[in-house]
Amino acid sequence: MAYTNKAFRFGSFSFWFWILFVYILAALIWWFVSLERQNNEMSTLKLQELQQTDLQFAKKKAAILEYKKRQTTKFISEGLTFLALIVVGASFVYRSIRKQIEVSNLQQNFMMAITHELKTPIATTRLSLETLLRRKLDDVQQQKLLLSALSETNRLNILTNNILLASQMEEKTFQRENEKINLADLVETVVSDYKNRFPQRYIESSTDKDLFIEGDELLIQIALSNLIDNALKYAPKDSPVYVDLMDDDDTIQIKVSDQGSGVADEEKKKIFEKFYRSGNENTRKAKGTGLGLYLTKKIIEDHNGDIFVMNNTPGGSIFVIQF
Ligand code: ADP
């Protein structure tokens, strides 16, 4: 619904914009044609009034024709100035309204996604707790329900942290630590945490040697976790995810590779925008809010780093963090 709505809103804005633009252009052309006609009529009248016998006939005729020419030049230059102003103004209005519609659609998509993201873990946790309260269950079943409630509250925690952090980083109210981070330790810790949480998935890390940067360890952990979360989310359950730490010339790189759907070339930049999610909110199967990569990029840039995505072979994507 959000997608068709977006197409409709932008389509109808575009339609009326172009109608108005063509109308203004037509009015401008009509203004020029009528002024020029008036100019012609005036000079014809003046020429008719001029007496052939007048001693200064030739001089006066030349003056009338000269005046007519000057008027035409004046109309053309005024018309062109108006046209330039209209084109510049119209393209400014067009671009800003298009941007505004895009932002409001992204926010609408975000609201739909977040409602879903908040409701599902709350409903699941509530159901688990109600079942535990009402029925006498054996230890194994109890454990299963408790683990499910715990994992859902973890999801809620990550989501609220991402939202809070994104707004704090935007408002620059976040005070980040500046400590020496051993990236090899960090990668190993995050990957082993994921291995424990998703024992059925194949997640492998490779870190040749200790590599250090200055920054906030927790933030870098969040950035890396977002990339691994996505790799697990957007790649088939039986496909591997690799996290590699390496240094190349003067740069340190962390690469998260998956064999999933990959990212289309035209979306490789857009996916780092706030709330951006590929496809249609209703047909999208994977859960999410479109905040993860935006936040990750913000964190990495805040650490003077860079992040981008490349195609994996034969399929999937490689997200590269570069310091
Ligand atoms: P979310 O996952 O909540 O939608 P993100 O900001 O993390 O938000 O990602 C934005 C979009 O980028 C996703 O909706 C998805 O379409 C695309 N994307 C991110 N990571 C991957 C990946 N590893 N493989 C394919 N597409 C991805």
Side-chain angles (χ1 to χ4, degrees):
M1 196 170 69
Y3 195 75
T4 33
N5 196 13
K6 172 182 176 173
F8 169 74
R9 286 173 65 187
F10 189 64
S12 88
F13 157 70
S14 250
F15 175 75
W16 288 112
F17 176 87
W18 287 115
I19 292 268
L20 194 68
F21 187 69
V22 169
Y23 174 79
I24 292 173
L25 278 191
L28 194 66
I29 292 169
W30 178 244
W31 168 81
F32 174 74
V33 169
S34 43
L35 280 180
E36 189 52 17
R37 198 184 285 161
Q38 221 175 30
N39 190 21
N40 278 338
E41 281 169 5
M42 286 288 284
S43 53
T44 319
L45 210 69
K46 277 186 195 161
L47 284 175
Q48 278 168 0
E49 279 171 3
L50 205 62
Q51 301 288 335
Q52 292 265 5
T53 49
D54 193 330
L55 285 177
Q56 290 190 314
F57 176 79
K59 204 176 157 196
K60 283 186 179 169
K61 186 180 170 190
I64 292 171
L65 292 177
E66 178 58 31
Y67 179 75
K68 184 189 161 204
K69 212 168 121 191
R70 271 212 314 273
Q71 286 293 88
T72 308
T73 316
K74 189 176 121 191
F75 298 149
I76 291 178
S77 46
E78 277 178 356
L80 286 179
T81 312
F82 276 139
L83 185 68
L85 285 177
I86 288 167
V87 169
V88 170
S91 78
F92 179 74
V93 169
Y94 188 80
R95 278 202 224 168
S96 37
I97 293 188
R98 189 177 64 181
K99 186 94 210 140
Q100 230 170 3
I101 291 179
E102 269 172 17
V103 168
S104 101
N105 281 307
L106 282 176
Q107 277 171 349
Q108 196 180 331
N109 279 354
F110 173 70
M111 283 315 289
M112 283 168 74
I114 199 130
T115 315
H116 181 259
E117 289 289 285
L118 288 175
K119 279 182 111 167
T120 315
I122 292 173
T124 317
T125 310
R126 190 171 158 181
L127 192 70
S128 301
L129 294 177
E130 279 175 356
T131 315
L132 279 171
L133 208 64
R134 283 207 203 117
R135 296 217 252 136
K136 277 232 162 297
L137 300 171
D138 62 43
D139 280 356
V140 178
Q141 282 174 318
Q142 269 189 30
Q143 185 80 355
K144 214 172 138 191
L145 287 176
L146 284 172
L147 280 178
S148 147
L150 200 63
S151 115
E152 292 300 322
T153 38
N154 269 341
R155 235 178 84 192
L156 266 181
N157 193 27
I158 292 171
L159 176 67
T160 41
N161 280 347
N162 273 356
I163 295 173
L164 280 178
L165 198 58
S167 79
Q168 283 174 346
M169 289 193 84
E170 267 171 13
E171 286 164 21
K172 307 219 181 305
T173 50
F174 188 81
Q175 286 284 317
R176 80 168 167 83
E177 299 286 328
N178 214 15
E179 56 207 332
K180 194 169 176 187
I181 309 170
N182 183 340
L183 286 175
D185 283 352
L186 185 144
V187 168
E188 297 293 349
T189 313
V190 174
V191 169
S192 95
D193 177 46
Y194 272 89
K195 279 183 173 171
N196 289 335
R197 279 170 57 201
F198 301 94
Q200 71 284 14
R201 300 289 304 250
Y202 183 83
I203 312 168
E204 227 18 85
S205 63
S206 97
T207 52
D208 292 345
K209 55 179 175 188
D210 288 346
L211 293 168
F212 297 90
I213 59 160
E214 298 260 312
D216 192 314
E217 187 155 1
L218 196 69
L219 289 185
I220 303 293
Q221 266 182 18
I222 291 175
L224 182 59
S225 302
N226 278 338
L227 296 187
I228 303 177
D229 266 337
N230 281 349
L232 295 172
K233 199 159 64 170
Y234 297 108
K237 293 208 169 354
D238 53 357
S239 65
V241 170
Y242 297 102
V243 185
D244 304 309
L245 172 72
M246 60 194 76
D247 66 340
D248 185 14
D249 296 330
D250 269 348
T251 57
I252 299 178
Q253 289 190 330
I254 304 177
K255 291 186 180 172
V256 178
S257 329
D258 67 56
Q259 295 174 3
S261 50
V263 181
D265 284 347
E266 63 275 15
E267 299 207 308
K268 285 197 164 72
K269 279 213 151 58
K270 285 190 180 167
I271 54 170
F272 295 100
E273 287 172 14
K274 197 176 182 184
F275 305 143
Y276 187 86
R277 305 197 71 210
S278 348
N280 178 339
E281 195 62 46
N282 287 347
T283 55
R284 236 172 255 139
K285 283 184 257 108
K287 294 165 184 160
T289 54
L291 260 183
L293 286 182
Y294 167 75
L295 182 65
T296 304
K297 189 177 166 72
K298 262 203 157 334
I299 293 174
I300 300 305
E301 284 179 348
D302 199 47
H303 285 78
N304 301 322
D306 198 11
I307 180 170
F308 54 92
V309 60
M310 306 189 303
N311 294 334
N312 201 357
T313 37
S317 37
I318 307 176
F319 281 82
V320 185
I321 296 177
Q322 209 163 265
F323 295 110

